[in-house]
Amino acid sequence: MSNRIRTFEEYKKEYQFSVEKPEEFWAEKASHFTWKKKWDKVLDWNFEKGESKWFIGGKLNITENCLDRHLATRGNQVAAIWEPNEINDKEIKLTYKELHSKVCQFANVLKSKGVKKGDRVCLYMPMVPELMIALLACARIGAVHSVVFAGFSASALADRINDSEMTIVVTSDGSYRGAKAIGVKKIVDEAIVNCPAVKNVIVLKRTGEEQKMVAGRDTWWHDEIAKVNDQCAAEEMDSEDPLFILYTSGSTGKPKGVLHTIGGYMVYVDYSFRNVFQTEENSIYWCTADIGWITGHSYLTYGPLLSGSTTIVFEGVPTYPDSGRFWQVIDKHKVTHFYTAPTAIRSLMGFGLDPLKPYKLDSLKVLGSVGEPINEEAWHWYNDNIGKGKCPIVDTWWQTETGGILISPLAGITPTKPSYATLPLPGVQPILVDSEGNELKGNGVEGNLCIKFPWPSIIRTTYGDHERCIQTYFSTYKNMYFTGDGCKRDEEGYYRILGRVDDVINVSGHRMGTAEVESAINEHDFVIESAVVGYPHDIKGQGIYAFVICDKKGKTDEVLRTEITAVVNKIIGPIAKPDKIQIVSGLPKTRSGKIMRRILRKIAEGDVSNLGDTSTLLDPAVVDEIVNGALVALKS
Ligand code: WTA
């Protein structure tokens, strides 16, 4: 058996084997890596306790597998290409040898700051090569990286820094995104006021904007690397030592720090990357996600580097300097594999076909989609105009918690169907259940998607609160990992993801908890109560609709809306900005005081014809008022 499937027959055989003999199956996949010491046991698990351990007793360092292992065979091959925001600025190409040297160098900087194995390091940076370098430098010395997407506000950043007790932040002076320059360090400064444990801030110069450097705390990246050499032995790590924490939104409370460990994550990400994308030796692979999300961890950084591919890091946005930028980058770098989100496709569709005209796109072989369901119209547009009907599309379903892709076609191997994630990868055992947890057997069924057996990159815990991990993922249905997604298995056994069944909204492929947005809105002094739901949005997939009760104190609805938006921006960041805010005098509640979100969701969708029985509500009249207000809001 190799670690690359070539035919659909092979896929079926390998799948069968992976279910019958999972430990043998994964042991073989793990044998392709460099281990400092082989594992003693492949797997131990107990879903009731929310526990899965893989390659127990194995010792390794993931960066030796991403970098050192390739030096002899492809040291001079380009590992990463950085494409800057400005179309006329020069790209940076780093070979495996150069990337290795830079990672070791920055690892020495971290050491010089006292960072040790197990320490958490916050990376709050734009899409520059140094983000990838810093991330790998953490892994080199056994520190745990926690990347916070640089679009989050100071307050969201501070929450994350404090939650995982981080003492060092790596950032940049500023960032370029399209026509805008954004002050990044300023946000870090504002956050750190509330993070007394932070002792060091390392600042990369990107925009050259003048900075107030705090003596004894803030230093420049370029000064630090000048003080160290580029030799750094890879720390010996246990397979189950943490690799990173990544915060993600759930249906309740504040974001959770999803924790992944080294051995299992490495094996699964590599295996899924090779098989889903079917990259070859000379592939140029471009994932447009930000490194601040799980996709940027698994399939922009670790997956491509583990498999020895060339990966692109793009600093800019799809619409700058014009809406042909993605296509320009594809032609410029002769991209063979392109992985993006449906929301990007839908927004580019809106510009028509003119922006595509100057470009050939003839280097493309495989297209990918991730983050949300891809609607048929977007699928066909992508297929016809970008893939020109000759590139298989892999619609990859997975989650921050799953670490890697679980359900997806293998490019060119699995027959695809628009809007279907198709079939599980070998080693993945999906199961559909009804609300009581009964298995829905056979084909042609629809229910809640669970996974009944562990895979190597499954979430290990939520940082600092394992009980929360059990509650969220392992307690809804006994002995199963619950995904939070609804799903259909059609007559052919193909899976189609239907979207979240919990209180999570998927906005442009980014997860937002309704509770999180509500608690931000409630920070506005005049707000008494709010309820947030998702509604269908042409470009974002889902938009955020907030129903808010205010003590207006003479302010107009317009003013309140602007102020509430500013508060959400400040507390979470622009990605949580409500698309619609409707000021209401009451919310539909049951007699016990529970908000009837089902009714609000229907109203937000514009489907007011059948709201069900509202007579048992505390105040049925409030529904009419909300409906009338919503009809106005939805037209705007
Ligand atoms: C959704 C992103 C449909 C789903 C990798 C999941 C998808 C959530 C798909 C995880 C897809 C992701 N089709 N829905 N191909 N991929 N999702 O943690 O609702 O940011 O639960 O991970 O995105 O989002 P997350």
Side-chain angles (χ1 to χ4, degrees):
M1 236 190 302
S2 82
N3 56 357
R4 166 84 50 76
I5 294 165
R6 298 281 177 190
T7 63
F8 197 46
E9 277 315 303
E10 241 176 82
Y11 159 75
K12 287 192 259 184
K13 255 199 235 148
E14 188 143 328
Y15 186 82
Q16 189 64 27
F17 182 73
S18 77
V19 173
E20 283 163 10
K21 300 199 164 135
E23 299 192 27
E24 244 176 79
F25 174 79
W26 286 115
E28 193 279 327
K29 302 305 162 207
S31 70
H32 297 275
F33 295 89
T34 303
W35 294 82
K36 289 176 189 282
K37 176 184 164 280
K38 198 183 161 185
W39 56 92
D40 307 314
K41 192 168 181 224
V42 176
L43 171 66
D44 241 344
W45 65 293
N46 179 339
F47 273 179
E48 253 168 72
K49 293 187 185 160
E51 277 174 14
S52 313
K53 294 195 178 95
W54 284 89
F55 310 110
I56 300 151
K59 304 284 177 193
L60 76 163
N61 188 294
I62 196 169
T63 68
E64 280 191 332
N65 286 286
C66 288
L67 302 169
D68 305 56
R69 185 168 57 128
H70 300 312
L71 295 183
T73 48
R74 46 170 77 90
N76 293 322
Q77 180 199 308
V78 174
I81 301 174
W82 177 65
E83 172 65 25
N85 182 57
E86 291 299 328
I87 203 162
N88 293 320
D89 283 358
K90 195 160 169 41
E91 76 273 3
I92 293 176
K93 292 187 175 172
L94 296 174
T95 63
Y96 273 92
K97 223 189 255 165
E98 289 164 334
L99 184 59
H100 176 267
S101 145
K102 285 181 186 295
V103 167
C104 289
Q105 196 180 35
F106 196 68
N108 285 332
V109 170
L110 292 174
K111 276 187 177 172
S112 77
K113 296 286 167 193
V115 178
K116 296 181 304 299
K117 188 173 182 164
D119 289 351
R120 277 84 47 215
V121 176
C122 177
L123 307 178
Y124 185 76
M125 298 175 90
M127 286 287 279
V128 287
E130 288 80 0
L131 173 52
M132 183 181 272
I133 292 165
L135 177 143
L136 294 166
C138 291
R140 188 77 176 173
I141 63 169
V144 183
H145 54 78
S146 185
V147 184
V148 178
F149 172 62
F152 279 114
S153 70
S155 131
L157 173 61
D159 282 350
R160 287 158 175 77
I161 291 175
N162 289 331
D163 184 74
S164 48
E165 305 152 295
M166 300 192 258
T167 57
I168 176 162
V169 181
V170 185
T171 187
S172 69
D173 53 355
S175 72
Y176 294 119
R177 284 188 60 74
K180 285 187 283 194
I182 302 159
V184 178
K185 166 74 160 45
K186 269 205 293 270
I187 300 173
V188 172
D189 286 338
E190 199 186 323
I192 293 184
V193 172
N194 298 311
C195 308
V198 172
K199 297 287 176 287
N200 288 290
V201 178
I202 301 176
V203 189
L204 176 83
K205 189 169 267 180
R206 173 67 189 109
T207 56
E209 182 202 3
E210 183 116 9
Q211 295 301 314
K212 202 172 87 245
M213 300 291 275
V214 175
R217 189 194 77 182
D218 303 353
T219 51
W220 288 103
W221 176 293
H222 55 266
D223 289 337
E224 293 294 348
I225 58 169
K227 291 188 229 160
V228 296
N229 67 28
D230 66 354
Q231 310 289 311
C232 178
E235 186 77 28
E236 179 170 300
M237 303 300 292
D238 190 274
S239 181
E240 280 298 327
D241 276 337
L243 176 62
F244 65 85
I245 298 167
L246 195 55
Y247 283 86
T248 191
S249 296
S251 51
T252 52
K254 56 184 177 104
K256 317 177 265 290
V258 172
L259 186 136
H260 284 286
T261 57
I262 303 167
Y265 177 81
M266 173 183 79
V267 172
Y268 192 80
V269 164
D270 176 76
Y271 177 75
S272 52
F273 178 77
R274 288 169 194 272
N275 283 292
V276 168
F277 295 103
Q278 295 284 316
T279 48
E280 304 287 344
E281 287 281 303
N282 52 0
S283 294
I284 307 285
Y285 167 91
W286 182 21
C287 163
T288 67
D290 192 287
I291 294 178
W293 308 112
I294 190 69
T295 310
H297 282 53
S298 302
Y299 300 113
L300 191 160
T301 307
Y302 286 114
L305 296 177
L306 284 164
S307 76
S309 306
T310 300
T311 182
I312 295 184
V313 179
F314 175 48
E315 183 182 36
V317 295
T319 48
Y320 181 78
D322 59 50
S323 51
R325 187 64 191 275
F326 271 2
W327 325 128
Q328 180 263 338
V329 174
I330 289 174
D331 271 13
K332 176 178 174 189
H333 295 295
K334 307 219 170 339
V335 171
T336 54
H337 292 66
F338 180 63
Y339 190 31
T340 196
T343 188
I345 300 166
R346 286 191 299 264
S347 80
L348 293 172
M349 271 168 74
F351 293 94
L353 296 177
D354 280 352
L356 283 161
K357 285 202 178 125
Y359 307 108
K360 291 209 197 71
L361 304 178
D362 56 355
S363 55
L364 287 172
K365 292 193 170 130
V366 173
L367 301 177
S369 167
V370 61
E372 45 171 327
I374 178 164
N375 48 312
E376 290 201 29
E377 194 190 353
W379 194 98
H380 285 295
W381 190 88
Y382 200 28
N383 185 52
D384 298 347
N385 300 300
I386 309 306
K388 320 255 189 222
K390 66 179 178 49
C391 301
I393 297 179
V394 289
D395 177 0
T396 64
W397 173 84
W398 59 299
Q399 309 178 297
T400 305
E401 296 85 344
T402 68
I405 298 167
L406 296 194
I407 304 181
S408 168
L410 311 183
I413 292 173
T414 314
T416 58
K417 235 189 233 186
S419 79
Y420 278 76
T422 73
L423 297 170
L425 263 63
V428 176
Q429 301 186 33
I431 170 169
L432 300 185
V433 297
D434 65 17
S435 50
E436 270 81 56
N438 304 309
E439 176 168 5
L440 301 167
K441 295 205 174 107
N443 290 340
V445 288
E446 205 175 298
N448 290 343
L449 176 62
C450 295
I451 317 284
K452 64 178 177 192
F453 193 84
W455 62 99
S457 61
I458 185 173
I459 178 176
R460 296 306 196 270
T461 192
T462 43
Y463 186 83
D465 189 355
H466 190 64
E467 194 46 42
R468 189 164 178 207
C469 176
I470 299 176
Q471 281 306 320
T472 314
Y473 307 108
F474 299 99
S475 69
T476 317
Y477 304 113
K478 202 169 156 55
N479 279 324
M480 292 177 217
Y481 165 84
F482 176 44
T483 65
D485 279 320
C487 182
K488 162 180 165 179
R489 186 166 53 223
D490 76 357
E491 297 302 338
E492 252 188 296
Y494 267 38
Y495 290 85
R496 177 180 186 162
I497 308 299
L498 302 170
R500 305 287 305 194
V501 293
D502 54 10
D503 288 326
V504 171
I505 314 179
N506 194 329
V507 190
S508 301
H510 300 146
R511 275 162 68 170
M512 270 296 132
T514 52
E516 213 181 323
V517 183
E518 285 162 10
S519 92
I521 291 173
N522 298 350
E523 290 290 310
H524 186 290
D525 282 346
F526 295 4
V527 171
I528 297 165
E529 196 177 10
S530 62
V532 165
V533 296
Y535 74 100
H537 187 286
D538 284 349
I539 290 173
K540 298 179 179 187
Q542 278 190 297
I544 300 178
Y545 198 127
F547 298 89
V548 186
I549 308 176
C550 287
D551 176 3
K552 295 192 194 176
K553 298 192 181 138
K555 289 198 185 185
T556 64
D557 287 7
E558 199 49 47
V559 168
L560 285 165
R561 276 196 281 268
T562 311
E563 289 182 5
I564 290 169
T565 304
V567 171
V568 175
N569 254 331
K570 188 163 173 0
I571 293 183
I572 307 177
I575 56 172
K577 206 175 90 179
D579 298 278
K580 306 267 180 212
I581 299 176
Q582 185 181 344
I583 311 290
V584 295
S585 65
L587 290 165
K589 287 187 181 174
T590 60
R591 282 173 205 272
S592 61
K594 196 166 153 323
I595 297 174
M596 295 290 287
R597 283 166 193 284
R598 185 184 53 77
I599 293 179
L600 293 176
R601 252 181 244 127
K602 284 211 143 195
I603 296 175
E605 280 166 17
D607 174 14
V608 295
S609 57
N610 181 16
L611 293 176
D613 181 12
T614 54
S615 63
T616 56
L617 293 177
L618 207 53
D619 177 11
V622 86
V623 174
D624 294 333
E625 179 216 303
I626 299 177
V627 167
N628 291 333
L631 293 177
V632 177
L634 285 168
K635 271 195 217 114
S636 67

